[in-house]
């Protein structure tokens, strides 16, 4: 099977790490606007956030498939840290020869409608425009953005939020999503470089969407685990509710949707850097579409099975479901990605549909 | 995590499977006049031609007429054929479940007699499980086998038997005749036989389905004699064998590829630049299909490793039937058309055929509720 031993070991050790450092208390505390520094430090210690970088740049030349698998584990534990963002920021900055940071980083734009432009100013650059809803920007030690330069896309990387106006925001899981406004902000020449090594705004958006799809598959695994476990413990009418066929059938659907979500995310992950950008986009679009569909159905069932307890702040199901409802809209909602899948298929024509699915 | 999760590890097709795919596509081109939209035609010449190619019993040992190829190569042959709408019915049941079940439980003599014939595309099997009073609850079979000199005497009725009127043999599920007392164990005495459909005492009558087609049948068995050497496995082991047979049945990709040509037709009708809503509706179906296929390939990987994919197969079948039932629903929203089975317009006939066939998807091979029960058992809930 394609799951390598090193991958398994990495995932097991990540699982243990989150088990120890990402308790419900940690997740709850992060929602009050305090960064989960202890958790971040423990994760950073493993080197995973920058592991994709070449060894020369302080990374480990790790496989993206392993890193995405680690994201899935982090999401099972609702880890309130910008792990995906830091991985992607490191990739975008380092590929373009810019500096990275050991601390949490944010990356953008995360929305297609945002516009950022760089113009020359003497030796340096001036950055203008808006980067909306950047994950964890308030806590970022470094921000990495892709902007339009005079000769094409460029990467800008700077400490903190680099003199922008920051408007705080959050998603419904209370993960910070801050909007940065740049009004001719000055950057030095070593903070800006043309995109290189496959980095582009479109590639970032794809990888971001895939990160969310993968994280959602992890959150779904958690929600399913909670629902199945709870159903076996909760007694009504003298027996565990898991003995009622209606409940069993719901849980079977939940399990099916969860399995489909994991498989769909894997389709995107396996395509990453292994095929043409066009095909990569197609399979990532499939992933975000299918996982989004699964999330909608699965959240409904996970809550139904839990009754009122699942609707409380005290019980942890909401840590997963609020993330699922947030993440399915981030880096493009499933209907948006579904339209891309459909457009891609229609452009290539009916006779190419089957080869598109089977031929790498 | 405490809950057992179903495993769908991503697998990559080995290079020989890619070679096989090329060959199959060329073969399909050669036989283009026999391909069509989801009719499941029964065509012995075509099955023999596939047998010559070595595409039946592909994974079976060579000594029994098999080809010792990988599960992936077999998977590729089947998916390509299903997508093309090839007439597979004359060998598909034997290839998918009767053969494998014999390989597992049959005697040397049975393996030597039946398997090479199935693999050559010369012998067609059908599935003798359901009865008038025993559908989902197969343990409630009322067909009885009584031990007689040199064999067994069988009485009972089978129902919904697909292609019985064209097949040569059935694997018949029944129970040994008891002493009339209630057995405490519902599975006690369950037994399978290799039933020659030309045996005296067998009466096969058509049951016309709602499309007006003769696809399934009712089989009346009156004092049918089956010789000792056509007992499959052991007396009383039938439940175990049936479970295995059903697992072979459900692991195939035929639960989500039957309407493929209709999805293609919808893409054709949408044109190269569809509006966003149309693109999204089609994109959702394509995303489901791509995911189902990858799950199914991963089941082929499990089969290759000798892992029983019972739960995973139930998951894929449940999701697959849902997807196939969605196709006509989405189609009529995007491109409304009055359904007509024999319409000149291909799409109207596709709408007709898929709408009328849709109910069967979540009934045959185990109903939706039964599959979800299997999944729930896999989760440890029952
Ligand atoms: C096109 C077609 C081809 C077929 N071909 C063959 C064949 O070749 N050979 C063969 O042996 N059979 C064949 N069948 C029969 C098929 O396997 C049965 O129809 C199926 O197993 C269901 O049995 P039933 O029709 O008696 O429905 P029932 O078992 O009576 O079920 C009716 C409804 O009750 C539900 N139900 C039943 N039990 C439970 C339960 N415990 N919990 C919850 N719900 C339950 C079912 O899910 C279903 O919705 C075919 C069927 C079709 C439609």
């Amino acid at each position: 099977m394609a799951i390598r031993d090193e991958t398994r070991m990495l995932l097991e050790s990540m699982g243990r790490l989150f088990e120890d450092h990402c308790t419900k208390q940690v997740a709850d505390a992060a929602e009050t606007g305090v960064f989960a520094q202890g958790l971040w430090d423990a994760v950073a210690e493993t080197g995973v956030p920058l592991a994709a970088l070449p060894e020369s740049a302080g990374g480990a030349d790790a496989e993206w498939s392993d890193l995405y698998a680690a994201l899935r584990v982090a999401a099972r534990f609702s880890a309130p840290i910008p792990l995906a963002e830091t991985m992607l920021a490191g990739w975008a900055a380092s590929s373009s020869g810019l500096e990275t940071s050991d601390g949490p980083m944010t990356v953008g734009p995360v929305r297609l409608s945002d516009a950022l432009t760089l113009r020359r100013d003497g030796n340096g650059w001036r950055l203008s425009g808006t980067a909306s809803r950047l994950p964890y920007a308030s806590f970022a030690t470094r921000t990495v953005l892709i902007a339009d330069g005079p000769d094409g896309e460029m990467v800008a990387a700077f400490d903190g939020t680099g003199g922008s106006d920051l408007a705080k925001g959050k998603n419904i899981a209370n993960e910070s999503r801050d909007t940065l406004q740049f009004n001719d902000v000055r950057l030095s020449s070593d903070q800006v470089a043309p995109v290189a090594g496959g980095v582009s705004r479109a590639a970032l958006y794809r990888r971001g969407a895939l990160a969310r799809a993968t994280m959602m598959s992890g959150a779904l695994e958690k929600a399913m685990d909670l629902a199945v476990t709870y159903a076996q413990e909760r007694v009504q009418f003298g027996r565990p509710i898991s003995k009622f066929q209606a409940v069993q059938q719901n849980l079977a659907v939940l399990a099916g949707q969860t399995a489909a979500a994991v498989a769909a995310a894997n389709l995107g992950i396996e395509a990453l850097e292994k095929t043409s950008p066009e095909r990569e986009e197609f399979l990532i679009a499939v992933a975000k579409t299918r996982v989004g569909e699964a999330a909608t159905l699965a959240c409904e069932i996970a809550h139904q099975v839990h009754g009122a307890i699942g609707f409380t702040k005290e019980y942890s199901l909401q840590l997963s479901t609020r993330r699922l409802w947030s993440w399915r809209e981030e880096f493009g909602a499933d209907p948006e990605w579904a339209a891309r899948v459909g457009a891609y298929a229609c452009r290539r024509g009916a006779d190419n549909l089957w080869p598109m699915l089977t031929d790498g | 995590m405490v809950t057992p999760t179903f495993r769908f590890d991503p697998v990559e097709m080995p290079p020989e499977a890619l070679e096989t795919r090329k060959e199959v596509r060329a073969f399909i081109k050669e036989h283009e006049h026999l391909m069509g939209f989801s009719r499941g035609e029964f065509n012995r010449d075509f099955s023999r031609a596939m047998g010559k190619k070595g595409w039946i019993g592909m994974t079976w040992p060579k000594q029994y007429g098999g080809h010792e190829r990988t599960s992936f190569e077999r998977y590729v042959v089947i998916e390509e054929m299903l997508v093309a709408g090839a007439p597979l019915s004359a060998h598909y049941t034997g290839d998918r479940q009767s053969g494998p079940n014999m390989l597992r439980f049959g005697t040397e003599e049975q393996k030597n007699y039946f398997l090479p014939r199935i693999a050559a595309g010369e012998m067609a099997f059908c599935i003798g499980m359901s009865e008038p009073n025993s559908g989902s609850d197969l343990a409630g079979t009322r067909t009885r086998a009584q031990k007689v000199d040199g064999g067994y005497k069988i009485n009972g009725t089978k129902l919904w038997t697909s292609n019985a009127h064209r097949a040569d043999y059935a694997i018949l599920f029944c129970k040994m005749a008891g002493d009339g007392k209630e057995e405490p164990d519902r599975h006690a005495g369950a037994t399978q036989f290799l039933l020659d459909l030309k045996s005296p005492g067998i009466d096969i009558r058509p049951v016309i389905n709602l499309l007006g087609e003769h696809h399934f049948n009712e089989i009346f068995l009156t004092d049918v004699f089956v010789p000792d050497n056509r007992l499959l496995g052991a007396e009383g082991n039938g439940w175990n064998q049936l479970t295995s047979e059903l697992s072979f049945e459900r692991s195939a990709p035929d639960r989500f590829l039957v309407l493929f040509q209709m999805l293609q037709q919808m893409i054709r009708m949408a044109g190269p630049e569809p509006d966003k809503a149309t693109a999204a509706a089609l994109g959702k179906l394509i995303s489901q299909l791509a995911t189902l296929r990858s799950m199914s390939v991963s089941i082929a990987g499990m089969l290759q490793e000798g892992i029983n994919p019972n739960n995973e197969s139930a998951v894929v079948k449940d999701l697959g039937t849902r997807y196939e039932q969605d196709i006509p629903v989405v189609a009529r929203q995007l491109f409304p058309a009055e359904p007509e089975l024999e319409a000149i317009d291909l799409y109207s006939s596709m709408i007709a055929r898929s709408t009328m066939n849709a109910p069967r998807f979540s009934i045959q091979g185990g109903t939706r509720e039964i599959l979800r029960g299997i999944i729930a058992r896999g989760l440890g809930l029952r």
Side-chain angles (χ1 to χ4, degrees):
Chain A
M1 292 282 155
I3 301 241
R4 301 171 306 136
D5 283 347
E6 298 124 77
T7 310
R8 266 191 220 290
M9 273 159 53
L10 169 74
L11 299 185
E12 277 165 25
S13 72
M14 290 304 279
R16 279 193 301 274
L17 184 152
F18 287 113
E19 193 100 54
D20 292 344
H21 295 274
C22 193
T23 57
K24 175 147 192 298
Q25 286 74 6
V26 169
D28 282 345
E31 293 201 33
T32 64
V34 185
F35 187 65
Q37 193 64 46
L39 171 63
W40 175 266
D41 291 342
V43 173
E45 183 116 344
T46 65
V48 164
L50 294 180
L53 307 195
E55 281 176 31
S56 56
D61 274 318
E63 297 270 346
W64 276 104
S65 58
D66 285 351
L67 300 180
Y68 273 90
L71 288 178
R72 190 169 120 210
V73 176
R76 270 188 212 147
F77 292 87
S78 307
I81 48 173
L83 184 54
E85 291 75 7
T86 301
M87 286 175 180
L88 294 175
W91 163 73
S94 155
S95 305
S96 315
L98 300 177
E99 267 179 50
T100 61
S101 151
D102 288 339
M105 293 189 276
T106 191
V107 69
V110 299
R111 285 204 173 170
L112 289 179
S113 52
D114 286 348
L116 288 168
T117 48
L118 279 163
R119 66 177 177 87
R120 270 184 215 284
D121 180 23
N123 267 348
W125 296 87
R126 295 272 178 182
L127 177 60
S128 293
T130 308
S132 21
R133 296 187 70 80
L134 288 192
Y136 293 92
S138 332
F139 306 109
T141 55
R142 210 166 161 74
T143 298
V144 178
L145 296 173
I146 299 176
D148 288 325
D151 304 311
E153 289 183 343
M154 308 193 79
V155 183
F158 42 82
D159 285 345
T161 48
S164 59
D165 294 329
L166 185 149
K168 281 187 181 258
K170 33 172 109 161
N171 66 19
I172 57 174
N174 290 321
E175 295 178 312
S176 74
R177 297 292 185 258
D178 308 317
T179 295
L180 304 187
Q181 180 71 44
F182 295 88
N183 297 316
D184 248 7
V185 169
R186 198 181 147 78
L187 297 172
S188 63
S189 61
D190 57 0
Q191 290 176 313
V192 175
V195 291
V199 174
S200 69
R201 201 169 152 179
L204 172 64
Y205 194 68
R206 279 202 293 276
R207 284 168 187 245
L210 182 60
R212 288 296 182 266
T214 307
M215 291 156 69
M216 287 164 79
S217 72
L220 282 168
E221 288 180 309
K222 178 68 179 189
M224 169 183 144
D225 188 29
L226 288 171
V228 171
T229 308
Y230 182 77
Q232 288 167 302
E233 287 163 359
R234 172 71 173 167
V235 174
Q236 287 292 282
F237 300 97
R239 42 188 182 144
I241 57 167
S242 66
K243 294 295 164 202
F244 296 110
Q245 197 187 42
V247 174
Q248 289 176 355
Q249 300 259 313
N250 266 337
L251 288 172
V253 175
L254 174 56
Q257 292 298 331
T258 303
V262 174
N266 280 337
L267 264 181
I269 293 169
E270 294 290 306
L272 211 55
E273 288 182 355
K274 302 254 162 60
T275 168
S276 67
E278 230 201 349
R279 186 171 170 77
E280 185 183 297
E281 167 147 323
F282 164 63
L283 289 170
I284 289 173
V286 163
K288 190 75 165 57
T289 302
R290 186 63 187 87
V291 176
E293 181 194 358
T296 301
L297 296 168
C299 285
E300 201 175 301
I301 295 176
H303 275 289
Q304 189 63 26
V305 168
H306 276 92
I309 191 82
F311 197 61
T312 63
K313 184 111 180 60
E314 175 73 24
Y315 188 83
S316 62
L317 177 64
Q318 43 86 14
L319 290 177
S320 302
T321 53
R322 282 185 298 128
R323 278 174 174 75
L324 285 161
W325 291 321
S326 298
W327 295 345
R328 82 184 163 180
E329 310 305 332
E330 295 178 358
F331 286 102
D334 41 296
E336 177 192 323
W337 284 103
R340 287 180 182 220
V341 172
Y344 180 78
C346 289
R347 209 162 50 238
R348 310 216 359 174
D351 293 334
N352 283 316
L353 179 62
W354 184 241
M356 209 170 93
L357 293 169
T358 54
D359 305 355
Chain B
M1 301 223 305
V2 241
T3 307
T5 38
F6 302 125
R7 93 176 243 211
F8 290 98
D9 295 344
V11 290
E12 213 173 306
M13 290 264 188
E16 63 269 21
L18 307 183
E19 270 314 300
T20 308
R21 190 184 301 285
K22 278 193 216 141
E23 276 178 57
V24 180
R25 285 184 182 169
F27 180 87
I28 286 170
K29 248 208 164 81
E30 259 171 59
H31 294 79
E32 206 152 3
H33 56 291
L34 297 176
M35 308 292 150
F37 176 60
S38 118
R39 279 172 191 267
E41 299 282 347
F42 191 101
N43 180 330
R44 285 188 187 261
D45 291 337
F46 185 80
S47 291
R48 264 191 288 267
M50 273 190 65
K52 280 218 179 66
K53 279 281 184 187
W55 291 339
I56 308 175
M58 283 179 82
T59 61
W60 306 347
K62 286 191 175 151
Q63 80 179 108
Y64 304 124
H67 305 281
E68 301 184 5
R69 311 274 287 268
T70 62
S71 298
F72 295 112
E73 292 168 276
R74 172 169 182 268
Y75 179 87
V76 164
V77 171
I78 293 173
E79 72 171 0
E80 290 289 334
M81 292 287 174
L82 287 170
V83 160
L88 303 179
S89 289
H91 68 267
Y92 194 49
T93 303
D95 178 56
R96 181 186 63 191
Q97 64 193 86
S98 323
N101 227 32
M102 265 184 264
L103 204 52
R104 187 146 175 214
F105 300 107
T107 62
E108 240 356 84
E109 183 271 332
Q110 289 167 351
K111 289 192 261 194
N112 281 317
Y113 179 77
F114 288 103
L115 297 181
R117 287 175 169 76
I118 296 176
E122 276 163 11
M123 187 181 270
F125 267 77
C126 62
I127 308 165
M129 297 184 188
S130 308
E131 299 179 11
N133 293 303
S134 165
S136 299
D137 183 16
L138 288 168
T141 173
R142 295 193 187 168
T143 302
R144 289 291 179 271
Q146 190 169 13
K147 187 72 191 97
V148 294
D149 203 22
Y152 299 83
K153 198 175 69 189
I154 300 180
N155 282 284
T157 310
K158 289 289 162 185
L159 189 56
W160 318 125
T161 324
S162 302
N163 292 315
H165 56 304
R166 298 183 278 215
D168 305 298
Y169 271 80
I171 292 190
L172 183 86
F173 177 75
C174 63
K175 282 187 185 173
M176 298 305 298
D179 48 14
K181 285 201 209 104
E182 272 294 305
E183 285 280 359
D185 174 3
R186 297 195 70 232
H187 304 149
T191 303
Q192 286 189 312
F193 292 97
L194 299 163
L195 176 70
D196 181 348
L197 292 169
K198 286 174 202 72
S199 312
I202 295 184
D203 181 13
I204 299 174
R205 295 188 201 160
V207 180
I208 304 302
N209 69 19
L210 70 77
L211 285 87
E213 295 168 342
H214 178 194
H215 167 79
F216 49 29
N217 301 273
E218 185 159 22
I219 309 183
F220 298 91
L221 301 129
T222 315
D223 290 339
V224 176
F225 177 76
V226 175
D228 281 331
N229 65 359
R230 291 295 170 259
L231 165 71
L232 178 61
E235 273 181 34
N237 192 41
W239 187 255
N240 179 25
Q241 296 171 202
L242 181 89
T243 310
S244 149
E245 186 182 340
L246 282 167
S247 164
F248 289 128
E249 177 169 351
R250 289 168 188 154
S251 65
D254 46 8
R255 281 307 151 254
F256 60 90
L257 288 176
V258 174
L259 297 186
F260 180 79
Q261 291 179 19
M262 183 161 167
L263 180 60
Q264 261 184 322
Q265 181 65 18
M266 287 156 72
I267 288 173
R268 215 164 271 133
M269 292 167 76
E273 284 171 17
D275 62 62
K276 200 165 175 185
T278 304
L282 292 172
K284 190 171 169 186
L285 290 176
I286 295 167
S287 301
Q288 288 174 335
L289 174 59
T291 305
L292 284 162
R293 180 177 176 272
S294 99
M295 296 170 94
S296 203
V297 172
S298 145
I299 287 178
M302 295 176 75
L303 291 171
Q304 183 61 27
E305 294 205 337
I307 302 166
N308 179 356
N310 198 24
N311 296 326
E312 285 77 6
S313 299
V315 168
V316 171
K317 186 173 178 242
D318 183 37
L319 293 171
T321 55
R322 179 72 271 160
Y323 154 79
E324 291 234 304
Q325 290 174 339
D326 279 348
I327 288 184
V329 175
V330 175
R332 63 180 288 277
Q333 284 161 354
L334 294 182
F335 309 111
E338 289 181 32
E340 183 180 349
L341 203 47
E342 303 301 337
I344 316 270
D345 166 39
L346 176 67
Y347 176 71
S348 299
S349 72
M350 282 177 160
I351 281 262
R353 185 163 291 278
S354 61
T355 300
M356 287 194 280
N357 265 320
R360 72 189 274 188
F361 298 145
S362 52
I363 294 172
Q364 73 188 112
T367 68
R368 168 169 292 144
E369 290 73 19
I370 293 302
L371 292 176
R372 290 182 180 170
I374 293 170
I375 299 167
R377 182 172 294 121
L379 291 173
L381 302 180
R382 32 193 308 250

